[in-house]
Amino acid sequence: MGAVHRLAGYLPIPGWLRQYNRQQLGRDLLAAVIVTIMLIPQSLAYALLAGLPAEVGLYASIAPLVAYALFGSSRSLSVGPVAITSLMTAVALSQVAVQGTGEYLLAASVLALLCGLFLALMGFLRLGFFANFLSHPVISGFITASGLLIALSQLKHILGIDAGGENLLQLGTSLLRNLPGMNTHTLAIGILVVLFLFWSRGGATILLTRLSLSPHSAALLAKAAPVVGVLVTVLLSLVLGLEERGVALVGAIPRGLPELQIPGLSWELVRALMLPAVMISVIGYVESVSVGKTLAAKRRQKIDVNRELVGLGAANVASGFSGAFPVTGGFSRSVVNFDAGAETQMASVFTAIGIALASMFLTPYLYYLPKATLAATIIVAVLSLVDFSILKKTWNFSRRDFAAALVTIVVTLFAGVEAGVACGVAASITLFLYRTSRPHIAEVGLVEGTEHFRNVKRHKVLTVPQILTIRVDESLLFSNAGYLEDRIYADLAGNAQVRHVILMCSAVNEVDWSALEVLESVNERLQELGIRLHLSEVKGPVMDALQRTGFLGLLSGKVFLSQYQAFSETRASLPAASS
């Protein structure tokens, strides 16, 4: 019974359904229509990117949307297939099955199910904070490199040739080797759609505005440009007989809804897909939460990161049960959903109904859709993710962040997305550990005429040779306690007059056991040298922790409420000639 109540706590629907009204219904319906129009070509394209049949992309945009609507905390986020997770899915599946086989389809469903179970478990254990260990420079670097790989991987459909590979060298070599077999008709279709989609991002809005539409309405309608590309190229394919001219088409797409069933599991398959599932889950979650937080902030709402884990987990479980592949919150369609006025997750439910209707009635008309059109849709979408400016920004701000971003980009491009994710996680954790192990430590002095203490290297301050005041700008933990100890002894080695050491703790939020033992050792050694150790500005929780130990009873000096009090009292205790 307790588990049932706990599960009910992850259902946000009662919070907004009680106040649901006709006005919200109208806005959700409008947003659903616009997102559905946008999502149909996206779903088909991302299925193509994942190496799956086109209809699987539609399946991934039905049940997962409903599942997220039940459990997700964001009112505007729209889930479904996205570019990066689709590419990661293709890489993962290629290791366990041959594309185009039943085993490949089964592996996709199992992968989605594993992603869902992993995300939901993290949510129930309230481990959403783990996403914070991926730094923004690393995420930006990975997304930039992945966007380039995705665009490059789709050139084969634009050129009408066979090519493959998981990294820049493999893809580039394969494309160049097969370039002589290029189909000019396919190339013409692909280039025209790419140019049209790039133009539509700005030109379509201007054109529609001149037709007396409001800027907001024009911007929303411009998002339907991929649908226009689909319709026009389908007509061209029919009229010009492009299939007979060697242009690859999507072909027959089964009509109907996905069959809900539990995918067959085997230990070998689960073991092979476990690590890729974790990587896809982490990247998908980080991308989804960043979008969700941004949109929620615009309406002064908030999202619960742990509920997001459960919501995304439910969406992926639903995707696995419906024979699809991993999904997450998409940036472009979530923004469109938000801009179209979506008020609640009922917009996603209505979108799922729209995609279901398309699967039942529109799929026969997509037979003549050139694959080059879908590839162009992917290329234009992912190139907006490429942002090399992160290198310039981090170079100017922090060399360590620059190195992390650069290494992630290089590894992803030349070793593949899985290696890129692993490198990104390792770089983020290494960067975090490095920063915490080498905190900023400054010797401080009194700004005369005030009670403030500042870094002696940055300000003109009053110091006394017999008093060493050190401020550590970090919690004292096992990773950095030794660094602080070394700094104290180094400062003492350069000044034999020191009789008091004051550790200014204004930035110390925590002291763990390892750091406490280091403080005890420092206190003991200083006492042997005739030097007293004092603490100042100790925060309440830290003081509570110190009082539960015997450290304060062993402390050779005192604990002062303020740094000014510590400096004044220790200075007054010095012999007149010394001070």
Side-chain angles (χ1 to χ4, degrees), residues 298-321:
K298 290 182 178 181
R299 289 182 177 167
R300 298 190 178 184
Q301 300 169 347
K302 67 176 183 177
I303 65 172
D304 185 318
V305 293
N306 294 303
R307 286 188 179 184
E308 281 302 288
L309 282 166
V310 175
L312 292 173
N316 277 281
V317 169
S319 188
F321 285 168

Side-chain angles (χ1 to χ4, degrees), residues 40-381:
I40 290 173
Q42 273 194 359
S43 299
L44 299 173
Y46 292 144
L48 180 73
L49 176 59
L52 294 161
E55 67 271 13
V56 178
L58 297 175
Y59 298 163
S61 303
I62 301 175
L65 273 73
V66 177
Y68 180 83
L70 291 174
F71 292 95
S73 65
S74 171
R75 296 192 181 189
S76 303
L77 193 71
S78 179
V79 302
V82 300
I84 292 177
T85 56
S86 296
L87 174 63
M88 296 177 70
T89 295
V91 172
L93 299 184
S94 66
Q95 308 299 319
V96 298
V98 178
Q99 193 175 126
T101 63
E103 289 78 10
Y104 195 91
L105 283 170
L106 172 63
S109 300
V110 172
L111 183 62
L113 185 59
L114 291 175
C115 288
L117 294 175
F118 175 75
L119 287 165
L121 179 61
M122 285 190 67
F124 285 125
L125 295 177
R126 307 189 69 79
L127 299 178
F129 66 90
F130 272 121
N132 297 329
F133 285 97
L134 273 176
S135 69
H136 179 72
V138 164
I139 295 171
S140 296
F142 174 73
I143 290 176
T144 292
S146 298
L148 287 175
L149 288 179
I150 291 169
L152 195 62
S153 72
Q154 295 308 295
L155 286 181
K156 64 182 181 181
H157 297 297
I158 299 292
L159 298 170
I161 60 177
D162 289 326
E166 296 180 5
N167 57 54
L168 186 63
L169 292 177
Q170 293 175 356
L171 284 168
T173 302
S174 182
L175 286 168
L176 290 174
R177 185 171 58 247
N178 293 286
L179 191 59
M182 177 181 63
N183 184 289
T184 54
H185 296 91
T186 302
L187 179 62
I189 290 288
I191 290 178
L192 286 174
V193 176
V194 167
L195 292 176
F196 168 72
L197 292 178
F198 272 121
W199 168 82
S200 68
R201 292 192 164 189
T205 303
I206 295 173
L207 178 62
L208 291 170
T209 303
R210 290 174 179 173
L211 296 176
S212 301
L213 286 176
S214 68
H216 179 70
S217 300
L220 285 177
L221 283 178
K223 302 294 185 182
V227 176
V228 175
V230 167
L231 294 175
V232 171
T233 53
V234 166
L235 289 175
L236 286 175
S237 180
L238 279 167
V239 173
L240 301 178
L242 294 180
E243 187 174 18
E244 288 74 25
R245 297 173 185 266
V247 176
L249 305 179
V250 170
I253 300 177
R255 176 187 293 185
L257 300 175
E259 294 183 7
L260 297 180
Q261 56 184 354
I262 300 176
L265 299 175
S266 68
W267 171 242
E268 291 76 13
L269 185 59
V270 170
R271 184 174 57 184
L273 294 177
M274 185 64 72
L275 182 58
V278 171
M279 292 181 175
I280 292 172
S281 298
V282 170
I283 293 299
Y285 171 66
V286 170
E287 180 179 359
S288 181
V289 166
S290 63
V291 176
K293 285 183 177 179
T294 300
L295 297 180
K298 290 182 178 181
R299 289 182 177 167
R300 298 190 178 184
Q301 300 169 347
K302 67 176 183 177
I303 65 172
D304 185 318
V305 293
N306 294 303
R307 286 188 179 184
E308 281 302 288
L309 282 166
V310 175
L312 292 173
N316 277 281
V317 169
S319 188
F321 285 168
S322 53
F325 58 107
V327 297
T328 192
F331 176 77
S332 58
R333 61 175 168 270
S334 295
V335 171
V336 170
N337 193 44
F338 179 89
D339 290 341
E343 293 277 347
T344 71
Q345 275 298 328
M346 282 303 296
S348 289
V349 175
F350 295 144
T351 299
I353 294 172
I355 298 294
L357 292 174
S359 299
M360 295 173 65
F361 302 109
L362 297 183
T363 51
Y365 303 102
L366 297 173
Y367 178 95
Y368 291 96
L369 175 61
K371 290 185 177 180
T373 300
L374 297 179
T377 302
I378 294 173
I379 289 173
V380 174

